[in-house]
Amino acid sequence: DVSDFQYCEMDTDSASIAISADSLEDVIKPALRAQYDKEKTLWFPRTDTPEHAAIDKRTPGLFKEEWSGDAIVGLCSKTYYCFGADDKTKDKFSCKGVSKKGNDITLQKYLDVLQTQKSGQGVNRGFRVRDNQMFTYTQTRDAFSYFYPKRQVLNDGVTTLPLNI
């Protein structure tokens, strides 16, 4: 039932989905429970034994939970901040094209982009060799983009729908 889940962010090999309960098992409709129980190992890793769990953890094509928490700010593909896990040190974020070590990446940076609808910047620093000489470089780039081309962003700036193509 679409009232129990919403896609938040997706890419080629991943999807962030918000659900209306503590676990996916809790949102299975009673009328579909038998079918889910019968087919769930086609979609998710087995949990019946430690051996099965270890094998299925590495099986391509199965959906695996990588992170669980309260919320996500998904600006665009590979640019998101997940927070609200029980262990506050386990916030998860990605910022494509920007060094995580060289920038102060915070939830507030993502929220500012979402609220102002203006891209945020990041700085990359490194070394480059040209004509047998080594140079350092500093590159400032618009890396926290508000533009999200993979789904239709509604007027509230947060809610998305599939593209109508």
Side-chain angles (χ1 to χ4, degrees), residues 48-64:
D48 55 340
T49 68
E51 293 80 14
H52 285 159
I55 292 167
D56 288 358
K57 180 179 180 180
R58 301 181 54 83
T59 302
L62 296 178
F63 289 98
K64 299 159 189 92

Side-chain angles (χ1 to χ4, degrees), residues 16 19 22 37 45 64 94 102 142 160:
S16 298
I19 58 173
D22 289 335
D37 289 340
K64 299 159 189 92
S94 176
D142 287 336
T160 66

Side-chain angles (χ1 to χ4, degrees), residues 82-125:
C82 303
F83 60 98
D86 291 337
D87 180 353
K88 298 299 179 196
T89 64
K90 299 231 182 203
D91 286 2
K92 180 180 178 180
F93 66 92
S94 176
C95 46
K96 183 180 179 182
V98 175
S99 168
K100 289 181 179 182
K101 292 181 182 178
N103 291 276
D104 184 26
I105 310 294
T106 64
L107 170 60
Q108 191 59 50
K109 183 177 285 281
Y110 290 78
L111 290 172
D112 288 346
V113 172
L114 188 65
Q115 292 164 349
T116 65
Q117 299 183 3
K118 292 183 172 45
S119 294
Q121 293 186 325
V123 176
N124 288 333
R125 291 178 177 83

Side-chain angles (χ1 to χ4, degrees), residues 13-17 24 40 42-46 52-68 92:
D13 62 351
S14 65
S16 298
I17 303 169
L24 183 63
K40 72 180 177 181
L42 300 174
W43 298 95
F44 302 101
R46 294 170 289 179
H52 285 159
I55 292 167
D56 288 358
K57 180 179 180 180
R58 301 181 54 83
T59 302
L62 296 178
F63 289 98
K64 299 159 189 92
E65 182 179 284
E66 291 183 15
W67 187 88
S68 179
K92 180 180 178 180

Side-chain angles (χ1 to χ4, degrees), residues 66-85:
E66 291 183 15
W67 187 88
S68 179
D70 293 333
I72 180 174
V73 176
L75 298 177
C76 60
S77 297
K78 297 182 178 82
T79 308
Y80 58 84
Y81 198 104
C82 303
F83 60 98

